[in-house]
Amino acid sequence: MRGIVFYGTEHIRNKHISIFDTTLRDGEQTPGISLNTEQKLNIAQQLDKLGVDVLEAGFAVSTKGDRESVQAIANAGLSLDVCGLARVKREDIDACVETGVDMIHTFVSTSDVQRIHTINKSREEVLEMAVDAVEYIKDHDIKCLFSAMDATRTDFDYLIDIYKSVEGAGCDIINVPDTVGVMSPSSMYNLISDINNNVNIPIDVHCHNDFGLAVANSLMAVEAGASQTQVTINGLGERAGNADLAETAMSLNSIYGAKTNINTKYIMETAKMVERYTGINIPAHMPIVGENAFAHESGIHTHGVLEKSDTFEPGIMTPEMVGQNRRIVLGKHAGKHAIKKSLETAGIYPTDEQLNEIIDNIKSIADKGKRITDADLYTIASTVMGKPSGEDAIKLKELSVMTGNISTPTAVVKAVIRDSETIASNTGVGPVDAAIKAVEEIIGEYATINIHDFRIEAISGGSDALAEVTIGVEDEKGKIISARSASADIVIASVDALITSLNIMLKSKS
């Protein structure tokens, strides 16, 4: 398997790739996100723990708060390099220098569309500004990263002229931004290859996700010779965001066999911290850190995974590697093996007959669009296993309820009682009351009962919550028998709990 995975990329195996995180700069440019200094410092410390090589702390010149945040992070004694962002302007560079950062990332628009319509400079002026900025940064004996903004839409010959010029000015590393996310992976590979053939300093890439290709483009850039890639936690950033750190780092580590300094077991806790601070929820289906990334529902899949995890998981990446957990999700696709395993894990051991009934109940509820939680499973199992064994005296055949703003709630119940079919209808103050009264009517000639207690509890949140109903029935001698049932339909749960209580009562009389 590994031979196939690495086919054609052997040159990357064991190569070290630096991870440059820009969550606190480009990530904070996600619409609706604004982080305070304390939050930024906490994230920076978490990224240091994660093993990020370079952290872009912010745009120091933009606001007083940004400058304070950058300075606080630069002075926090972190192991990683702290980077500040600056336009090719001396006041921007001075603001970064004053914060004490380890690296300054300076940038200028180089594509014709941006150069003409945003900064209104000629190609010659832009080149001169870039060289001056790099020289000014190096005069302060600080590492310099230069970005030709919108590089992927810049005339190639001009782009090479700029990169060669900043290299000659002492730049330490050049960045190739796909600023508007328009590159295809093959185009990115070709561009980085050509740049790599023309410059002698390390190449970094910054890919945006407008077409969902940011991670793919970052990986192709590495294949073509880039030694550093810029990422954000949870793929945050302008518009559709940036290349996601987890996806990029795990692809490099697990698929390519490259080396990074990322301590992968902290990926999940880092993602959750950023989710908490930003308020941007991680999609359930997001690779690696999403709730469903290592979740299985299909019977075939769960059976395979429970036997050997890499039957339906990559194998070269496990949930434990990234601080995740494998989950077996219960629903209409769930198999007997998975449900039995989930119950046994909780110390619940149903008979085969009971297990089949539990499975039928789960699939019936899931068919109505209800998500089955662990609490739901245990309630269903408890209900089924609490029913009396042997032939039931009462078997419900049909239940229908009519209700509305004008009509009185009316319930019709059809049941077989000791081989005799009986039907009854009744009204009530609500649909549950009407249904219970109808059941009481059909049982009248067999037993005298009184509803001693009645409790309803929602097991899970939402308007489609699974309702658990517990009913206590008192017979003519004062004996109380309780039973419970669970369903997404509260009327059905109520009737089922009542009939279970009555069956227990009638069996005790026989």
Side-chain angles (χ1 to χ4, degrees):
M1 180 178 173
R2 279 185 171 271
I4 296 173
V5 173
F6 290 121
Y7 181 75
T9 61
E10 290 84 355
H11 63 291
I12 300 175
R13 196 178 306 176
N14 295 320
K15 178 181 177 181
H16 179 78
I17 305 300
S18 177
I19 301 299
F20 180 113
D21 186 277
T22 182
T23 302
L24 297 182
R25 199 274 302 171
D26 204 333
E28 197 191 20
Q29 290 173 212
T30 301
I33 291 180
S34 181
L35 300 169
N36 60 40
T37 297
E38 182 182 3
Q39 290 171 328
K40 287 185 176 182
L41 185 57
N42 289 341
I43 291 173
Q45 291 168 335
Q46 180 67 27
L47 291 172
D48 196 38
K49 176 182 176 182
L50 181 62
V52 163
D53 297 281
V54 185
L55 180 155
E56 190 163 43
F59 197 2
V61 80
S62 61
T63 68
K64 179 182 177 182
D66 266 17
R67 185 177 302 202
E68 289 174 352
S69 296
V70 173
Q71 188 164 13
I73 294 168
N75 295 331
L78 305 178
S79 299
L80 49 71
D81 282 344
V82 178
C83 178
L85 184 69
R87 293 167 296 183
V88 286
K89 295 184 175 183
R90 295 202 168 190
E91 60 264 36
D92 285 28
I93 296 168
D94 288 340
C96 287
V97 171
E98 289 168 10
T99 62
V101 294
D102 305 298
M103 174 187 286
I104 296 176
H105 175 194
T106 188
F107 70 97
V108 66
S109 295
T110 56
S111 68
D112 288 343
V113 64
Q114 287 197 1
R115 180 179 54 77
I116 294 169
H117 297 287
T118 63
I119 58 175
N120 194 26
K121 300 290 182 181
S122 68
R123 287 187 174 185
E124 293 73 23
E125 287 175 311
V126 166
L127 191 149
E128 184 179 339
M129 292 163 65
V131 169
D132 180 72
V134 171
E135 289 178 341
Y136 188 62
I137 292 168
K138 296 310 295 180
D139 285 344
H140 290 85
D141 197 27
I142 296 174
K143 293 178 187 175
C144 178
L145 167 67
F146 171 79
S147 283
M149 190 156 75
D150 207 17
T152 57
R153 295 193 297 177
T154 299
D155 174 76
F156 180 74
D157 290 336
Y158 177 57
L159 184 65
I160 293 301
D161 282 346
I162 286 212
Y163 282 145
K164 282 185 172 181
S165 297
V166 296
E167 179 182 4
C171 186
D172 297 283
I173 181 170
I174 57 169
N175 180 43
V176 183
D178 186 20
T179 304
V180 293
V182 294
M183 291 297 272
S184 68
S186 57
S187 296
M188 179 61 85
Y189 181 91
N190 292 332
L191 176 62
I192 299 302
S193 293
D194 290 341
I195 294 172
N196 197 37
N197 289 332
N198 282 276
V199 299
N200 297 306
I201 57 175
I203 298 172
D204 176 36
V205 289
H206 177 101
C207 298
H208 276 267
N209 206 37
D210 295 75
F211 286 90
L213 295 171
V215 172
N217 284 335
S218 298
L219 296 174
M220 291 303 285
V222 170
E223 285 194 33
S227 58
Q228 179 169 280
T229 180
Q230 297 196 10
V231 295
T232 60
I233 301 299
N234 301 338
L236 297 176
E238 289 273 9
R239 305 181 311 280
N242 292 264
D244 173 64
L245 181 145
E247 294 171 30
T248 304
M250 290 310 299
S251 294
L252 288 169
N253 289 353
S254 296
I255 297 176
Y256 286 91
K259 302 295 183 184
T260 70
N261 288 329
I262 297 299
N263 194 338
T264 62
K265 68 181 180 181
Y266 298 123
I267 283 177
M268 189 65 189
E269 72 175 44
T270 307
K272 297 303 288 185
M273 172 187 279
V274 172
E275 177 186 49
R276 187 169 68 252
Y277 284 164
T278 62
I280 304 295
N281 293 330
I282 300 170
H285 64 283
M286 188 170 182
I288 302 169
V289 297
E291 182 182 351
N292 292 344
F294 297 94
H296 306 271
E297 179 183 324
S298 164
I300 295 172
H301 284 225
T302 53
H303 184 79
V305 166
L306 288 170
E307 291 294 325
K308 185 172 174 59
S309 63
D310 57 2
T311 51
F312 289 101
E313 288 179 0
I316 52 177
M317 177 179 69
T318 66
E320 293 78 14
M321 287 171 65
V322 298
Q324 263 270 41
N325 294 303
R326 182 176 295 106
R327 294 190 310 116
I328 303 300
V329 179
L330 302 173
K332 62 182 177 181
H333 303 113
K336 185 174 184 177
H337 189 75
I339 293 174
K340 184 179 180 183
K341 185 74 173 178
S342 295
L343 289 170
E344 288 177 349
T345 301
I348 301 171
Y349 300 93
T351 64
D352 286 345
E353 183 180 350
Q354 290 170 337
L355 180 61
N356 288 334
E357 187 175 350
I358 291 167
I359 292 169
D360 288 342
N361 285 345
I362 286 173
K363 291 182 181 291
S364 175
I365 293 169
D367 271 336
K368 298 173 183 176
K370 175 72 173 65
R371 180 181 177 183
I372 307 296
T373 66
D374 287 339
D376 296 338
L377 171 64
Y378 304 148
T379 299
I380 292 167
S382 178
T383 298
V384 170
M385 295 171 71
K387 290 182 178 180
S389 58
E391 190 73 15
D392 287 337
I394 307 171
K395 296 177 182 176
L396 181 67
K397 301 288 288 183
E398 288 184 24
L399 169 64
S400 59
V401 178
M402 293 162 285
T403 186
N405 293 330
I406 299 174
S407 62
T408 301
T410 304
V412 178
V413 173
K414 182 189 290 186
V416 174
I417 304 179
R418 292 178 175 163
D419 299 324
S420 176
E421 187 171 285
T422 305
I423 188 168
S425 65
N426 215 317
T427 60
V429 295
V432 172
D433 184 44
I436 288 177
K437 285 179 177 177
V439 173
E440 288 177 314
E441 187 172 326
I442 64 171
I443 196 68
E445 64 178 278
Y446 298 95
T448 301
I449 64 167
N450 176 52
I451 304 297
H452 182 270
D453 58 270
F454 181 94
R455 297 193 307 276
I456 300 174
E457 182 179 356
I459 302 303
S460 51
S463 59
D464 62 346
L466 192 69
E468 179 185 86
V469 175
T470 302
I471 290 182
V473 176
E474 184 178 11
D475 66 12
E476 65 274 12
K477 295 181 179 180
K479 182 180 180 180
I480 299 171
I481 295 173
S482 296
R484 62 178 176 174
S485 183
S487 173
D489 187 319
I490 192 171
V491 178
I492 291 175
S494 301
V495 170
D496 188 56
L498 177 56
I499 288 177
T500 298
S501 295
L502 293 171
N503 275 323
I504 295 171
M505 179 180 291
L506 291 175
K507 284 187 180 182
S508 68
K509 293 177 181 295
S510 59

